[in-house]
Amino acid sequence: MNTAMEKEELERILDQAVKDVTERTAGVRLHQGNHSPGQDLCTVQITFDQGFRTSLTLCADTELLYRMACNSFHEESVSSEDLEEFSKEYFNVLCGRIAGAMFRATQVPAHFGPPVFYRGRYEPEGREVQFVLTYSDECCGGAQLIHHVPCFDENGGVSSEA
């Protein structure tokens, strides 16, 4: 994704997908802002292993993900296992929407591995941040969608870790 289209167009596609998927799957309206997630957060990460050599990471307040999971499951409360399963499935749907939009824009088919869930903040090795989209909801929960690209070594090649 880092060379297939302009950064601004990619940001627009990612932003639209985040807002649409979050509202449809979890009943939560997100808007861009500068309310970063706090200290109690979870991370969900995927890597595009075909089509694009990038990865996406969602860091969100645990309370925001918890509220989204409760809304999605139509439950008053959910277990930590349910929270993890919801987070991975939500991110899988989100990344599927993004891959579809990217294909329509570039005609490059993409494939990504299964989402991986982490408690706390996770930064993928061998990758550097290209840009961050920051969101909050009506309850001031924060989330960030981070687009990572491979790191390059001093000779201009992709680092062996990517």
Side-chain angles (χ1 to χ4, degrees), residues 35-36 61 67 136-142:
H35 181 77
S36 296
D61 287 325
R67 192 167 45 259
S136 60
D137 73 342
E138 65 278 357
C139 299
C140 296

Side-chain angles (χ1 to χ4, degrees), residues 16-33:
Q16 190 64 49
V18 166
K19 289 175 180 175
D20 289 349
V21 169
T22 304
E23 188 166 357
R24 289 179 193 213
T25 63
V28 172
R29 284 192 161 167
L30 294 177
H31 58 313
Q32 279 201 38

Side-chain angles (χ1 to χ4, degrees), residues 11-161:
E11 286 178 355
R12 187 193 64 72
I13 287 172
L14 296 179
D15 178 56
Q16 190 64 49
V18 166
K19 289 175 180 175
D20 289 349
V21 169
T22 304
E23 188 166 357
R24 289 179 193 213
T25 63
V28 172
R29 284 192 161 167
L30 294 177
H31 58 313
Q32 279 201 38
N34 42 9
H35 181 77
S36 296
Q39 297 299 313
D40 182 17
L41 54 88
C42 297
T43 303
V44 191
Q45 191 266 338
I46 62 96
T47 299
F48 285 89
D49 51 14
Q50 291 177 345
F52 303 106
R53 298 196 60 197
T54 62
S55 62
L56 290 172
T57 303
L58 177 74
C59 294
D61 287 325
T62 302
E63 185 59 35
L64 173 60
L65 289 174
Y66 182 82
R67 192 167 45 259
M68 290 168 58
C70 287
N71 288 350
S72 180
F73 295 150
H74 306 287
E75 298 286 340
E76 295 279 326
S77 64
V78 295
S79 68
S80 59
E81 293 82 15
D82 288 340
L83 177 68
E84 180 176 339
E85 283 307 308
F86 166 79
S87 299
K88 291 191 294 189
E89 185 58 31
Y90 161 78
F91 204 55
N92 193 52
V93 170
L94 175 61
C95 292
R97 172 76 65 90
I98 291 167
M102 292 300 300
F103 178 76
R104 288 187 295 281
T106 65
Q107 300 304 301
V108 175
H111 178 269
F112 53 90
V116 181
F117 180 85
Y118 302 92
R119 294 268 177 197
R121 184 174 291 277
Y122 171 78
E123 298 285 334
E125 290 185 27
R127 307 248 165 202
E128 61 188 9
V129 174
Q130 184 183 36
F131 61 83
V132 177
L133 300 176
T134 302
Y135 297 93
S136 60
D137 73 342
E138 65 278 357
C139 299
C140 296
Q144 292 181 320
L145 183 66
I146 306 164
H147 183 251
H148 292 94
V149 295
C151 292
F152 290 93
D153 63 22
E154 58 276 352
N155 298 324
V158 176
S159 92
S160 58
E161 295 177 351

